[in-house]
Amino acid sequence: MTKRNTDFTLPMQSLDDLFSTQEQRDDEKLERVPNIPLSDLHPFKDHPFKVQNNEEMKRMIESIKKFGTIIPALARPLPAGGYELISGHRRLAACQVLGIETMPVIIREMSDDEAVIAMVDANLQRETILPSEKAFAYKMKLDAIKHQGVTSSQLGTKLLRSDEKVALDAGESRNQIQRYIRLTYLIPELLEMVDENKIAFNPAVEISYLEQEDQRVLLSAMEMNDCTPSHAQAIRLKKMS
């Protein structure tokens, strides 16, 4: 029996078309990273993370001064024009300090919930995060996940609750996520004291269950006596309330 020769040669034009098509597909997979004028970049609505003038920020300014903005920011187009910055607020502030007029930004279409989740996840990678920042960030992400209906998402065969999903992504326990979110119920003056380490985390969680009027009474008492409640005292206040 004669073996059939199955080798074949594509015409050169066909090979060119094949490679051209593949290159086009590869190009489509790559994200375009244009340099966007800083004036076109707008802060994320209700962004919970603060741009602080701390050592971390000073290192970023020095790095951008030497090497430029290596890591692009992330933004989404706004209906009225310009872009809403999802991640890169500190890079934007550093460029403004240095007088740089543009920065590289990945532009991506996102729904409101997708944008919130991406914003929180990106900013939780910071070295230093205040308790208030975590509190509002976890709350925003939890609300966004609930809007998306992720309560029915699966990890293997286990159904995930929304707060379990937030906890899994953050590397925290579900109870700890809920405790952080409780801080959003504090009046601003008390929450600021938590950020400044004037009130410990555990007492602050218990105080958050007090009505705002009671919190203001407590704040006045604290200022008058120049002291803050212990965890045990905060639990007693919660029970009395």
Side-chain angles (χ1 to χ4, degrees):
M1 175 181 269
T2 304
K3 183 178 180 181
R4 184 178 179 182
N5 185 1
T6 58
D7 294 340
F8 63 94
T9 303
L10 280 173
M12 186 59 65
Q13 182 62 41
S14 298
L15 283 172
D16 290 341
D17 291 343
L18 178 64
F19 290 132
S20 176
T21 302
Q22 185 60 48
E23 287 174 1
Q24 182 179 354
R25 289 173 180 168
D26 291 341
D27 285 343
E28 289 172 353
K29 294 177 183 178
L30 296 176
E31 296 215 61
R32 305 300 181 182
V33 186
N35 282 314
I36 302 294
L38 302 190
S39 58
D40 289 346
L41 298 173
H42 305 284
F44 195 91
K45 183 181 178 182
D46 299 325
H47 191 272
F49 297 93
K50 303 171 184 175
V51 177
Q52 302 180 69
N53 187 25
N54 53 17
E55 287 301 318
E56 193 176 352
M57 184 64 184
K58 291 176 182 176
R59 289 197 301 270
M60 177 172 289
I61 291 173
E62 189 62 28
S63 174
I64 291 177
K65 183 179 180 180
K66 287 183 179 179
F67 308 109
T69 309
I70 299 173
I71 302 174
L74 176 64
R76 64 171 180 165
L78 288 170
Y83 306 93
E84 183 178 42
L85 201 58
I86 293 171
S87 70
H89 290 78
R90 289 183 305 162
R91 274 163 279 172
L92 173 63
C95 288
Q96 290 171 334
V97 168
L98 295 169
I100 299 172
E101 296 182 352
T102 64
M103 63 184 288
V105 182
I106 296 172
I107 306 301
R108 187 179 298 165
E109 293 284 350
M110 288 186 176
S111 68
D112 290 346
D113 292 332
E114 289 171 339
V116 165
I117 293 170
M119 179 273 296
V120 171
D121 288 346
N123 284 278
L124 284 176
Q125 305 304 315
R126 293 183 178 187
E127 292 179 22
T128 306
I129 306 175
L130 297 173
S132 64
E133 293 175 327
K134 279 190 176 184
F136 284 101
Y138 288 154
K139 187 177 187 301
M140 290 177 71
K141 182 172 180 178
L142 181 62
D143 290 342
I145 290 176
K146 285 180 178 178
H147 293 161
Q148 289 185 326
V150 183
T151 49
S152 60
S153 347
Q154 290 188 332
L155 179 65
T157 58
K158 179 184 176 183
L159 292 177
L160 285 181
R161 292 168 39 141
S162 298
D163 53 0
E164 288 176 329
K165 171 62 177 170
V166 176
L168 181 66
D169 291 344
E172 303 263 18
S173 70
R174 182 171 62 84
N175 287 341
Q176 189 71 346
I177 294 296
Q178 294 292 358
R179 285 160 60 79
Y180 266 111
I181 291 175
R182 281 303 317 175
L183 297 183
T184 64
Y185 293 88
L186 289 171
I187 59 175
E189 295 89 341
L190 291 178
L191 185 56
E192 184 177 355
M193 293 179 72
V194 178
D195 283 342
E196 294 172 351
N197 291 319
K198 294 179 180 178
I199 300 178
F201 179 79
N202 288 334
V205 171
E206 304 300 332
I207 293 170
S208 72
Y209 287 93
L210 303 180
E211 295 292 338
Q212 289 202 355
E213 183 179 347
D214 293 336
Q215 290 186 36
R216 296 205 174 276
V217 171
L218 174 61
L219 177 63
S220 297
M222 289 165 53
E223 292 173 343
M224 185 180 300
N225 295 282
D226 192 24
C227 64
T228 60
S230 66
H231 188 203
Q233 290 171 329
I235 292 174
R236 287 180 58 195
L237 286 169
K238 174 185 172 183
K239 289 181 179 178
M240 292 170 63
S241 174

